[in-house]
Amino acid sequence: MFSALAYLVIAGGWLLLERRDGASAGVHKGLAGVSAVASVGILVLTVLTGHSGASAAWSGTTAEPATLASPAPVQSTETTPSATATPTAGTPATPTTEASQTSADYTMAQVAENNSAASCFAAIDGNVYDLTDWISQHPGGEDRILALCGTDATSAFEGMHDGDQRPQDQLAAMLLGPLVS
């Protein structure tokens, strides 16, 4: 804010001298140069401020969003035939086992059936994720996630979040199971 006020004083002084007929050419050129340098400085400060805000929002240095409520897979070796049952469109699969819950295998056809805001599955790097609850929580907006519903979103996810641990951790909380051919 102080830099903007300083710029206002410099540019205002230059403008007043510009309007006067008897202004010295040296003073006029000097204020014009200072005004131009101040303009560039303000531009640099604006870009740096925007960048630091974006970095804070995407790197996790701001307050954490509400935790995601999604089923965490539990590995088990004893499964019943219902553990590989096909989920219906709009209904996330809830596999069952004799001893405990296990993650089911999913096909790309099952992912494609869950392609709406009501039930949003996406395949990423050989696994299937339920992104339904994440749609309204995504920092980049709902449209970014809705575009991925029912698709193999590997390239989109890696293109945006490659190497970032926080998005990887958030995605892991939404894991449904492996994608099979």
Side-chain angles (χ1 to χ4, degrees):
M1 181 169 136
F2 294 113
S3 58
L5 290 175
Y7 178 70
L8 178 65
V9 169
I10 294 169
W14 174 78
L15 182 62
L16 286 174
L17 286 177
E18 178 69 26
R19 301 238 175 206
R20 290 187 181 168
D21 291 332
S24 160
V27 172
H28 180 266
K29 287 182 182 180
L31 272 178
V34 170
S35 181
V37 169
S39 296
V40 172
I42 295 294
L43 178 65
V44 169
L45 287 174
T46 301
V47 170
L48 290 175
T49 301
H51 178 70
S52 66
S55 295
W58 288 98
S59 69
T61 58
T62 60
E64 289 292 321
T67 57
L68 302 173
S70 61
V74 177
Q75 298 296 330
S76 173
T77 57
E78 299 178 38
T79 61
T80 61
S82 63
T84 57
T86 303
T88 59
T91 306
T94 309
T96 59
T97 65
E98 293 177 76
S100 65
Q101 187 176 19
T102 185
S103 61
D105 293 339
Y106 292 84
T107 65
M108 201 56 214
Q110 290 170 308
V111 172
E113 290 174 0
N114 294 277
N115 62 357
S116 68
S119 180
C120 178
F121 288 9
I124 301 173
D125 199 26
N127 289 306
V128 177
Y129 299 89
D130 183 353
L131 306 178
T132 307
D133 293 336
W134 185 240
I135 293 171
S136 63
Q137 298 175 10
H138 189 263
E142 293 181 4
D143 291 342
R144 302 266 178 149
I145 302 302
L146 287 171
L148 305 177
C149 297
T151 68
D152 183 335
T154 303
S155 62
F157 182 81
E158 289 178 355
M160 183 57 72
H161 302 296
D162 190 33
D164 293 340
Q165 190 60 43
R166 183 173 178 209
Q168 295 284 343
D169 293 343
Q170 290 170 327
L171 185 64
M174 296 176 260
L175 178 66
L176 292 175
L179 180 67
V180 294
S181 302

